[in-house]
Amino acid sequence: MTMLLTMLPYAFSLSLGLLATQLILPPKENCPLIIKLCLGQAVGLAISAYLTFLSFILFDQLIPFFVIFLNLILFLTLTFFVATSKENHFPKPKITWAKTKQHIGACLAIFLLAFFLIRQSNFYVHGGWDAWSVWNLKAKFLYLGGESWGNMFEPMLWRSSPHYPLLLPLINVWAWIFTQAPVYYVPQSTAILFSLLTATFLYAAIKQETKSRFAFLPILLFLGSPFVVRQCISQYSDILFAFYLLSGIYCLMKTKEKNSGAFAAMAGLLLGCLTFTKGEGLLAAGILSLLFIPYLGYKSRSPKDAELSLIFFTALFLTSLPLLFFKLVYAPDNVTFTNGLVSQTHPSTLPRLKAILIYYFLELRHMKWNGLLIITALTLLIKFRQMLNSRNILISLFLAGYFGMITVYYYINTQFEIIWWLKFTLARVIFATLPVILLLTFLSLFEKKT
């Protein structure tokens, strides 16, 4: 019974998300079922989290009945639109042995790695440091705080980063409504679920783009590393960041390839969710937004480019509203930021910049990655020209811009001693972008096949 109550909110959000995904990506877009399932689960959980946040905005506390009622109303509304639209019907799945056998290896890999993730997470049930001191603490304030939930923003709790967005805590609160207690296995389940979604989506995207029999390898590379697995089950928001970033970039690529307004809308939705994951999510979504228009026109122009841009930015704006409201109304200032460009006591110096750049190379060859970063770096160097083709250049420019801005932030923010800061945070920054790095690596290795 307890397990059923734990699964119920995830299953309901999957149904809700599949309806929304079906409306945005109708059958004519030929989006593979496995990708729709991954998008449906992630989009559904984001919708349920946003509706949960609405309870705090309207009533200044969690009202479980109100949240469940809103989810049910939205579910029925989406069901009506799907049922009455000729374009948005659910087509009968065409399952053949020829298609199924291509995915057997990947399904077995995902199943075995799911078992491994669950087993490992049982030794790490409360997650890492930031799980119980930041993300799970916020969730408990939201769930248990009543009208005093806003106490999480008090200055004395600055170590819990009260300025961080709330998507992960709200997802866990949504699930706790059904368990009726802040049980530890809900954050644990959320972390495992998004880890599997990320690995599955990575496989599906590479399989669709390359038709390679080796498309299952990224799953093994991603979830076959003990260090990566530990990051996955740490119950941090990094794994949410990883999924929404990966899926958002994929949808941007399909937008250009298909001149598709549907994929443009889905990309905007996913990147809007990305902004509510953590501070880096806003940075990543901002960089991709700046790249979107020139990316559409790179090596090919379409009369629909202006329309696609309007659709993308509209969807991005609408799904970024929770973050905007959070920043304007609730979030306190970041007290862990010191501007080294103007500070006389903690200035940004050349040795600090050198330390940052050197540490990147040290992290690259660190044994905890088991050579994964070195292999991907060498592969991308060898396939440098493929990184700049019209399919892959968006990822290449994004990674360059993202890590460039991360480096600038490390340099300017002199609040912390730089070696200590890099030691405890750089690996997590890399981990969150690892699925995108693996996507770029395998797309550069294999030519696109239709």
Side-chain angles (χ1 to χ4, degrees):
M1 186 65 178
T2 303
M3 182 59 66
L4 180 62
L5 290 174
T6 303
M7 294 175 60
L8 183 60
Y10 298 102
F12 179 86
S13 293
L14 172 60
S15 302
L16 186 65
L18 282 175
L19 290 169
T21 302
Q22 188 69 9
L23 283 171
I24 299 172
L25 295 175
K28 66 179 182 179
E29 298 296 335
N30 295 318
C31 183
L33 177 61
I34 190 171
I35 287 180
K36 277 194 173 182
L37 286 172
C38 292
L39 291 176
Q41 182 68 86
V43 168
L45 285 172
I47 291 173
S48 296
Y50 281 7
L51 295 179
T52 304
F53 190 39
L54 191 59
S55 174
F56 293 95
I57 294 174
L58 296 179
F59 304 108
D60 201 31
Q61 62 181 306
L62 177 66
I63 308 292
F65 174 80
F66 174 76
V67 175
I68 294 174
F69 176 76
L70 282 183
N71 275 272
L72 287 173
I73 290 297
L74 183 58
F75 177 83
L76 293 175
T77 303
L78 293 177
T79 301
F80 172 79
F81 281 114
V82 170
T84 56
S85 172
K86 294 181 179 180
E87 280 193 357
N88 292 307
H89 67 283
F90 281 95
K92 184 178 180 180
K94 297 178 180 179
I95 301 175
T96 63
W97 171 246
K99 290 183 178 181
T100 302
K101 69 179 182 180
Q102 298 176 10
H103 304 296
I104 289 178
C107 290
L108 287 174
I110 292 170
F111 177 80
L112 291 173
L113 290 169
F115 174 79
F116 180 64
L117 272 173
I118 294 170
R119 183 177 181 277
Q120 290 298 110
S121 69
N122 287 330
F123 297 101
Y124 209 48
V125 293
H126 296 293
W129 174 280
D130 277 2
W132 54 267
S133 68
V134 178
W135 303 109
N136 293 345
L137 178 65
K138 291 176 182 294
K140 288 178 180 178
F141 264 105
L142 291 166
Y143 184 77
L144 300 171
E147 294 183 353
S148 300
W149 69 276
N151 287 344
M152 74 166 77
F153 304 121
E154 290 295 324
M156 65 180 296
L157 294 176
W158 66 270
R159 289 184 181 274
S160 67
S161 301
H163 60 284
Y164 281 7
L166 299 175
L167 183 59
L168 175 58
L170 286 167
I171 289 175
N172 290 331
V173 170
W174 158 246
W176 280 340
I177 289 175
F178 292 82
T179 61
Q180 298 184 339
V183 291
Y184 71 87
Y185 44 80
V186 161
Q188 183 184 16
S189 299
T190 301
I192 293 171
L193 178 60
F194 270 94
S195 301
L196 294 174
L197 287 175
T198 304
T200 304
F201 193 95
L202 180 60
Y203 158 75
I206 293 174
K207 185 67 176 179
Q208 185 194 25
E209 292 297 304
T210 67
K211 304 297 188 292
S212 171
R213 67 181 68 179
F214 301 109
F216 68 92
L217 285 178
I219 301 176
L220 300 178
L221 292 174
F222 182 64
L223 292 181
S225 166
F227 174 74
V228 172
V229 167
R230 192 177 73 182
Q231 296 303 307
C232 286
I233 62 176
S234 290
Q235 302 173 25
Y236 296 169
S237 196
D238 298 321
I239 191 60
L240 272 71
F241 175 98
F243 178 84
Y244 288 112
L245 176 64
L246 173 67
S247 55
I249 285 179
Y250 168 83
C251 289
L252 288 176
M253 294 168 66
K254 301 307 284 187
T255 299
K256 178 177 175 63
E257 177 188 330
K258 294 173 171 279
N259 279 325
S260 169
F263 274 104
M266 181 58 74
L269 187 156
L270 292 166
L271 294 184
C273 295
L274 178 67
T275 64
F276 207 38
T277 57
K278 54 187 306 189
E280 290 91 331
L282 178 59
L283 171 63
I287 293 172
L288 288 169
S289 299
L290 291 174
L291 292 173
F292 179 67
I293 294 178
Y295 171 65
L296 283 181
Y298 182 69
K299 290 189 177 180
S300 64
R301 292 184 178 276
S302 168
K304 289 184 64 177
D305 284 356
E307 178 186 343
L308 296 177
S309 298
L310 178 61
I311 294 172
F312 168 74
F313 285 107
T314 300
L316 176 62
F317 172 75
L318 292 176
T319 50
S320 297
L321 286 177
L323 175 75
L324 293 174
F325 194 89
F326 173 76
K327 289 291 187 182
L328 293 174
V329 178
Y330 297 118
D333 294 333
N334 181 5
V335 298
T336 59
F337 179 81
T338 299
N339 189 343
L341 297 180
V342 298
S343 175
Q344 295 182 349
T345 56
H346 295 86
S348 298
T349 61
L350 184 59
R352 184 180 182 89
L353 179 60
K354 289 181 178 179
I356 297 169
L357 298 178
I358 291 172
Y359 206 93
Y360 273 110
F361 290 100
L362 295 177
E363 188 67 38
L364 191 69
R365 62 182 182 86
H366 199 287
M367 62 184 300
K368 68 189 174 191
W369 295 102
N370 299 119
L372 178 58
L373 296 185
I374 293 177
I375 293 171
T376 54
L378 290 176
T379 302
L380 291 175
L381 283 175
I382 294 171
K383 293 290 184 177
F384 182 76
R385 295 183 66 179
Q386 283 77 9
M387 290 171 57
L388 301 181
N389 64 31
S390 59
R391 178 178 67 172
N392 300 332
I393 193 168
L394 175 67
I395 307 178
S396 302
L397 292 177
F398 165 75
L399 289 173
Y402 181 73
F403 279 101
M405 292 302 297
I406 291 293
T407 302
V408 169
Y409 187 75
Y410 275 130
Y411 175 67
I412 292 178
N413 185 2
T414 56
Q415 177 74 20
F416 304 109
E417 194 277 322
I418 189 58
I419 300 299
W420 175 88
W421 196 16
L422 289 165
K423 180 181 178 181
F424 287 100
T425 61
L426 182 58
R428 286 172 51 187
V429 172
I430 295 173
F431 160 77
T433 59
L434 184 58
V436 171
I437 294 172
L438 289 173
L439 177 64
L440 176 61
T441 302
F442 279 81
L443 292 186
S444 299
L445 272 175
F446 302 112
E447 296 295 327
K448 179 176 177 61
K449 295 182 180 179
T450 57

